[in-house]
Amino acid sequence: MNILVTGANGQLGSEIRDLADNFDNLNLIFKDLPDLDICNFLELEKFVDENKINSIINCAAYTAVDKAEEDSAIAQKVNSEGVLNLVKALKKTDGKLIHISTDYVFNGECFVPYKETDPVSPIGVYGDTKREGELSVIDSDIDGIVIRTSWLYSSYGNNFVKTMLRLGKDRDELGVIFDQVGTPTYAKDLALTCLRVLSNSKGNKISLKGKLYHFSNEGVASWYDFAKAIMQIGNVNCNVKPIETKDYPTPAKRPHFSVLNKSKVKNDFGIEIPYWKDSLEECLLKLKNK
Ligand SMILES: NC(=O)c1ccc[n+]([C@@H]2O[C@H](COP(=O)([O-])OP(=O)(O)OC[C@H]3O[C@@H](n4cnc5c(N)ncnc54)[C@H](OP(=O)(O)O)[C@@H]3O)[C@@H](O)[C@H]2O)c1
């Protein structure tokens, strides 16, 4: 099976690349800007045809949540139009699409973990454009699924874990928001799930058409809890103080609660999901050994 991984140099794409050797039944082809732009339909269609692509894992996205408030046109182009291009390019091939979306499609006013059936109501441009991308897949007739995830980090790219480690080494004290609650997700765990969905027999028997899944690590944390764990496990001597969202204003509003319920993905694909702190330990060890 020839699988195109778009946005391959980002956090998720890089983790998929690291796992590729464990899935020798999948021929993974990694592409990112400037070689392959999902916003350029003709280029994309040509690539899919010429390389006999059967499936796509779309890791390409405009992920700068705050900048999206100003750059809404670019965010819309990549997160919405780009996804529609992937759907159109796959139409002729009968191939599968795994598209990744976000907890930011919710407004965060819930108090119990969000299910796939809960109504969406994004509160920022990024969430809006990602919702449009979801609909491009869900409303199409291709064999495609959307996996929503949250608070992604990895040993690759820029993310909260790396920022905390850097700031923690420079400062004695750091204020981190405690009134936003979600679940950190190690991109490697999500990468493994994407590859299992495409490779394992259970996954192949299930039609992916139009399905929506939630995936994060297990457990619940505030950004404050997450930062405390990073300092503790990473052996960084920095005092982390809890602060409120109002004391750390950002251009884009964030949901106060975005914990995802993962029952559906676990039941359909028979997977177990690691607890967030266990995965954080694994990622910090990888970073230490880099
Ligand atoms: N990061 C999070 O906390 C988070 C949380 C929830 C959901 N998600 C979702 O999870 C998925 C993976 O996120 P990630 O953190 O791995 O993202 P990432 O690290 O920002 O990687 C995205 C990749 O896509 C590339 N890209 C941007 N525009 C493109 C285009 N037009 N054509 C092809 N490639 C393009 C980027 O290149 P450049 O760097 O050159 O722009 C980058 O290499 C995304 O769908 C994201 O929305 C992320």
Side-chain angles (χ1 to χ4, degrees), residues 91-110:
K91 251 190 183 155
K92 280 193 280 179
T93 71
D94 274 346
K96 294 185 193 294
L97 172 66
I98 297 186
H99 172 62
I100 310 299
S101 191
T102 172
D103 54 335
Y104 282 22
V105 296
F106 295 114
N107 63 17
E109 287 170 17
C110 205

Side-chain angles (χ1 to χ4, degrees), residues 164 172-179 222-225 227-228 231 238-244 247:
M164 287 300 109
D172 295 331
E173 192 167 87
L174 260 183
V176 181
I177 290 168
F178 77 92
D179 56 354
S222 67
W223 290 109
Y224 163 77
D225 296 312
K228 285 287 274 189
M231 301 305 177
C238 173
N239 182 30
V240 181
K241 273 191 334 180
I243 62 167
E244 292 183 46
D247 298 323

Side-chain angles (χ1 to χ4, degrees), residues 163-171 174 231 236-238:
T163 304
M164 287 300 109
L165 290 174
R166 179 171 42 80
L167 293 178
K169 279 170 191 151
D170 288 349
R171 300 188 196 171
L174 260 183
M231 301 305 177
V236 180
N237 193 12
C238 173

Side-chain angles (χ1 to χ4, degrees), residues 129-187:
T129 60
K130 292 294 290 183
R131 176 59 183 164
E132 285 174 23
E134 288 186 350
L135 290 175
S136 299
V137 180
I138 294 167
D139 293 343
S140 76
D141 49 11
I142 67 157
D143 204 7
I145 55 169
V146 173
I147 304 180
R148 289 188 188 132
T149 192
S150 63
W151 298 22
L152 213 57
Y153 68 90
S154 152
S155 61
Y156 299 98
N158 296 316
N159 54 58
F160 185 78
V161 172
K162 288 185 166 179
T163 304
M164 287 300 109
L165 290 174
R166 179 171 42 80
L167 293 178
K169 279 170 191 151
D170 288 349
R171 300 188 196 171
D172 295 331
E173 192 167 87
L174 260 183
V176 181
I177 290 168
F178 77 92
D179 56 354
Q180 285 174 29
V181 175
T183 311
T185 304
Y186 185 19

Side-chain angles (χ1 to χ4, degrees), residues 10-12 32 36-38 59-61 63 100-101 126 130 149 152:
Q11 300 192 81
L12 180 60
D32 203 318
L36 191 64
D37 180 351
I38 64 164
C59 306
T63 56
I100 310 299
S101 191
Y126 170 71
K130 292 294 290 183
T149 192
L152 213 57

Side-chain angles (χ1 to χ4, degrees), residues 65 101-132 134 138 146-151 180-183 212-216 252-262:
V65 175
S101 191
T102 172
D103 54 335
Y104 282 22
V105 296
F106 295 114
N107 63 17
E109 287 170 17
C110 205
F111 296 100
V112 286
Y114 281 103
K115 289 187 182 159
E116 290 82 354
T117 45
D118 284 326
V120 297
S121 176
I123 53 175
V125 169
Y126 170 71
D128 262 334
T129 60
K130 292 294 290 183
R131 176 59 183 164
E132 285 174 23
E134 288 186 350
I138 294 167
V146 173
I147 304 180
R148 289 188 188 132
T149 192
S150 63
W151 298 22
Q180 285 174 29
V181 175
T183 311
L212 181 58
Y213 290 98
H214 286 174
F215 182 96
S216 68
K253 269 175 80 180
R254 265 91 173 154
H256 280 275
F257 179 93
S258 66
V259 181
L260 302 174
N261 179 322
K262 282 93 55 186

